[in-house]
Amino acid sequence: MSWTASSPPATMQHLQNRIVSSLRAAVAFSLHRRRLLSTTTTTTTTATSPPARFAAESYLIDNCGLTPSQAAKASKLLSHLESPDQPDAVRTFLAGLNLSKADVAAAISRMPRLLCCSVEETLAPRVSQLLGIGLSTPQIARLVPVVPYVLASPAYDVSRLKFYMGFFGSFARLHVTIRRDAQFLRRSAEKVEQSAALLRQCGLGARDIALVVSQAPRLFGGSQERLKAVIARAEELGVPGDSPMFRHALFAASSVRQENATAKMDLLKSLGWSSSQVAMAVARMPSVLTGSEDQLRRAVDFLTKEAGMEVEAIARSPSLLNYSIGRRLAPRLKVLKLLKEKGLPLGDRPFYSVACMGSENFFNMFVLPHAKILPRGLFGAFALGRAGKAVEGRAR
């Protein structure tokens, strides 16, 4: 017997059924326990006491982790509920998917009506569908806080999610995309495919197209005319379609207005760059246009005045303009200068090669062997940097 994508093997189907069944069982047990507790509590009250009205706002704060302002807004959509039974069932179901309290709060704040959904009729069948297209339970748990509508919206088509998983080639890339644009999964797959066809005509391959869509997902929810205009602007930056930098040019063209891009190129000219040097830098690293003018000015000043680089060298290696001065350039220049003062051969290395070196390689080659001659604070800063914390400071 052969199996199609819509008809998974029996072993996989059995696993999916077990997962969904365990989620349903957890919800049923939680509700049964709550009813027992509620019955016990009721017997201690007087027969004339009216039932307590469901306080949605307090429930959202105390049980779901929403802030008072979030709860006040969300509670308006739950005003019809008479008891916490339905929200409790949904929270138990989400807990069964291993969502943390913070994840549950994020999902509910984005879609309060999620608490009104039936576990049996909506949530459990949808999870079964998501498992059926190849998602794992942990992946579903990562989706829900960002796009809770994948569990609850009756208009949402799971096959669209399957298409996008194939389009991006991995769940990780898809997840990055929807974090940038939570409405992306609602977009027409046909429209995105049409946009991809335009990019293929420019010479981009499938991987680069997926990266462009991931970087600027909102661009692909607009009109074809807008995308064509962005492609034209990217080409005007002097980056040919068959260049590895073309996808970066597309991102720069989509995220920076023409007048702002022109202002940044004019700024470089005011700092002593020739038109050909500006064109060279932009063509080699279009993302130099995506930062602020102040960041660009400070980077050029640092590289020319403190690192002693020529403008031509910077134009040929424009990636330096994108590095953080405080976290990368200045601390590395300090080390290089200290090694040069001590007469060590490494101190004569060109700053460009040192600045572009990987963090681990730089630490092992320039910092660790010279721990005794480097100031304790500087060595400690690089050690913290390896642990993911900022290395601060300006070169002397």
Side-chain angles (χ1 to χ4, degrees):
M1 177 181 287
S2 63
W3 297 94
T4 64
S6 61
S7 179
T11 53
M12 181 62 71
Q13 185 66 58
H14 180 64
L15 178 59
Q16 293 169 16
N17 291 339
R18 286 184 60 187
I19 292 173
V20 175
S21 295
S22 65
L23 290 170
R24 284 176 166 141
V27 173
F29 175 77
S30 176
L31 289 178
H32 178 66
R33 183 172 179 273
R34 177 176 176 82
R35 290 189 187 105
L36 288 176
L37 292 173
S38 177
T39 301
T40 303
T41 303
T42 302
T43 60
T44 63
T45 61
T46 63
T48 57
S49 297
R53 190 173 185 277
F54 176 57
E57 192 167 337
S58 298
Y59 181 91
L60 291 168
I61 295 172
D62 298 338
N63 296 283
C64 303
L66 270 64
T67 65
S69 61
Q70 288 174 329
K73 182 178 180 180
S75 63
K76 298 174 183 177
L77 300 174
L78 309 178
S79 59
H80 62 287
L81 294 177
E82 298 179 353
S83 79
D85 287 353
Q86 189 67 36
D88 281 348
V90 172
R91 288 195 305 113
T92 301
F93 185 83
L94 296 178
L97 289 172
N98 290 324
L99 269 73
S100 67
K101 290 183 179 179
D103 287 339
V104 171
I108 293 173
S109 66
R110 287 188 170 94
M111 188 178 184
R113 291 189 185 277
L114 185 64
L115 291 174
C116 305
C117 292
S118 166
V119 170
E120 287 295 323
E121 297 178 6
T122 302
L123 302 185
R126 182 55 60 85
V127 166
S128 183
Q129 289 178 330
L130 295 173
L131 291 168
I133 65 170
L135 285 177
S136 66
T137 304
Q139 288 172 336
I140 295 172
R142 292 180 66 194
L143 276 178
V144 173
V146 185
V147 284
Y149 59 80
V150 300
L151 281 187
S153 174
Y156 179 73
D157 184 0
V158 172
S159 64
R160 193 181 306 157
L161 177 57
K162 183 178 181 180
F163 166 81
Y164 283 125
M165 285 181 63
F167 180 86
F168 287 107
S170 71
F171 175 81
R173 178 59 60 187
L174 171 63
H175 192 254
V176 168
T177 306
I178 61 175
R179 286 183 65 85
R180 289 178 175 147
D181 180 9
Q183 298 303 312
F184 183 78
L185 292 180
R186 295 182 185 270
R187 305 201 189 287
S188 163
E190 290 76 14
K191 179 175 284 190
V192 172
E193 184 54 42
Q194 289 172 3
S195 298
L198 283 177
L199 297 183
R200 280 194 289 272
Q201 292 174 12
C202 297
L204 269 68
R207 180 178 177 276
D208 282 338
I209 291 173
L211 288 171
V212 172
V213 177
S214 182
Q215 284 180 312
R218 289 181 176 84
L219 174 62
F220 294 85
S223 66
Q224 296 287 292
E225 288 68 28
R226 184 189 173 205
L227 178 58
K228 290 177 181 178
V230 168
I231 292 173
R233 285 185 54 201
E235 292 171 342
E236 289 171 2
L237 293 176
V239 185
D242 59 356
S243 166
M245 287 291 109
F246 190 67
R247 67 179 178 88
H248 297 284
L250 283 170
F251 176 68
S254 68
S255 59
V256 182
R257 292 185 177 183
Q258 181 64 52
E259 57 268 29
N260 292 337
T262 301
K264 289 165 189 173
M265 290 188 281
D266 288 342
L267 170 64
L268 289 174
K269 293 176 184 177
S270 72
L271 295 174
W273 292 48
S274 67
S275 296
S276 61
Q277 288 170 334
V278 172
M280 182 193 304
V282 172
R284 294 191 175 194
M285 186 63 62
S287 58
V288 299
L289 300 176
T290 60
S292 69
E293 289 185 40
D294 181 62
Q295 289 173 328
L296 189 58
R297 180 184 291 104
R298 287 190 294 108
V300 172
D301 284 347
F302 176 86
L303 293 171
T304 55
K305 297 176 182 178
E306 299 195 45
M309 293 185 67
E310 299 292 334
V311 168
E312 182 70 15
I314 301 172
R316 292 184 180 279
S317 310
S319 59
L320 293 177
L321 296 172
N322 287 338
Y323 288 137
S324 166
I325 296 175
R327 292 192 301 271
R328 189 183 189 102
L329 299 181
R332 293 192 181 196
L333 183 58
K334 281 185 179 181
V335 171
L336 202 61
K337 287 186 173 182
L338 284 169
L339 296 182
K340 188 176 182 65
E341 289 173 4
K342 298 295 182 180
L344 297 173
L346 286 177
D348 292 324
R349 288 286 188 93
F351 180 65
Y352 167 74
S353 64
V354 174
C356 294
M357 187 177 292
S359 298
E360 193 71 16
N361 288 340
F362 178 81
F363 185 85
N364 291 333
M365 182 182 294
F366 285 82
V367 179
L368 191 58
H370 308 104
K372 293 183 179 180
I373 65 175
L374 295 177
R376 182 177 300 176
L378 184 60
F379 179 85
F382 276 104
L384 287 174
R386 295 180 80 205
K389 298 182 180 180
V391 180
E392 300 295 345
R394 288 190 63 80
R396 293 177 295 182

